[in-house]
Amino acid sequence: MTKYVCKVCGYVYDPAAGDPDSGVAPGTEWADVPADWVCPVCGVGKGEFEPEA
């Protein structure tokens, strides 16, 4: 599972952990994260994330 990093604040979305506080269950792949989900730290959208190197 590829992790995705917020280019603005550095938050790392880990599919294994998900983002339960925002309604994204553990095990949710990036492609399945809702389009309207936002970074829980800085509030930017999915378009500001990139795969972790």
Side-chain angles (χ1 to χ4, degrees):
M1 290 184 163
T2 302
K3 296 178 183 178
Y4 282 77
V5 181
C6 178
K7 296 184 285 186
V8 175
C9 73
Y11 169 81
V12 177
Y13 174 78
D14 180 355
D19 183 16
D21 291 341
S22 297
V24 180
T28 302
E29 291 285 355
W30 184 247
D32 298 324
V33 172
D36 62 350
W37 178 86
V38 296
C39 177
V41 175
C42 70
V44 298
K46 283 182 69 177
E48 295 299 320
F49 281 72
E50 61 188 7
E52 186 175 58

